[in-house]
Amino acid sequence: MSNNFLPYGRHSIDEDDIAAVAQVLQGDFLTTGPAVDAFEEKLVQITGAKFAISCSSGTAALHLAALTMDLGPDDKVVVPSITFLATANAARYVRANVVFCDVDANTGLMRPQDLEEAIAEHGTSIKAVFPVHLAGQSPDMQKIGIIARRHEIIVVEDSCHALGATYQTIGGDAPVGSCRDGDMATFSFHPVKTVAMGEGGAITTNNANLAARL
């Protein structure tokens, strides 16, 4: 055991961040209000999605996505076996069942064939898949999206590790969170994530009905 303290994460806060917080503290709103609207608009710009809805954490974002899909006890959700437990817990919060699929040994990412194998084993009881963008890396979302659409499976991307990243498609790079190949994408703003806010989360989508429900 090391005698040195190893922190869980090291956030970076500069004077501009402190000034932005102070501005909110001196304003009329500590929750909701114009700062949240501006933040959601910025997320839309960065990801290219049509809608962004903020919430209290990345876990809450995944939970809201599961609620919005009306998942229940008879449904199964495919989750990669390497991820933070919140990805699987979101399905359990709505009493859906979790199917852990295999991942690439080198990247830890779900592969299209891993999703195919889960579908082959569990059939039409699979209602959703939660592919994870792990440590800034992205799975092959285009192929995963094609497979999911073929089987009428909803795709919720756990994008908490990958705000600002892109993934490759046949038509060029796609921003993570653009939802080009999925229905919703979730983000976290915990101090160990790309943008540190203490806490916070968000969901992006291109579906106006899903956005209204969220």
Side-chain angles (χ1 to χ4, degrees), residues 64-160:
L64 285 168
L67 287 167
T68 303
M69 291 184 288
D70 293 323
L71 294 175
D74 296 327
D75 301 324
K76 294 180 179 179
V77 178
V78 180
V79 175
S81 56
I82 301 297
T83 184
F84 192 65
L85 194 58
T87 317
N89 280 346
R92 296 301 300 138
Y93 292 155
V94 295
R95 300 176 65 201
N97 298 294
V98 177
V99 174
F100 286 110
C101 74
D102 204 356
V103 295
D104 183 275
N106 294 315
T107 65
L109 296 171
M110 172 193 292
R111 298 160 296 191
Q113 61 264 37
D114 300 323
L115 177 58
E116 291 273 27
E117 289 174 6
I119 294 169
E121 182 175 353
H122 296 275
T124 57
S125 60
I126 292 178
K127 293 298 192 300
V129 57
F130 290 1
V132 176
H133 300 267
L134 184 66
Q137 308 170 103
S138 293
D140 190 336
M141 285 307 308
Q142 191 166 49
K143 289 184 179 178
I144 288 173
I146 290 170
I147 294 167
R149 286 191 293 274
R150 186 191 313 143
H151 294 277
E152 298 183 344
I153 293 172
I154 297 170
V155 179
V156 177
E157 302 171 57
D158 184 335
S159 308
C160 292

Side-chain angles (χ1 to χ4, degrees), residues 48 63 66 73 89 145 152 181 194:
H63 187 188
N89 280 346
E152 298 183 344
D181 299 287
T194 310

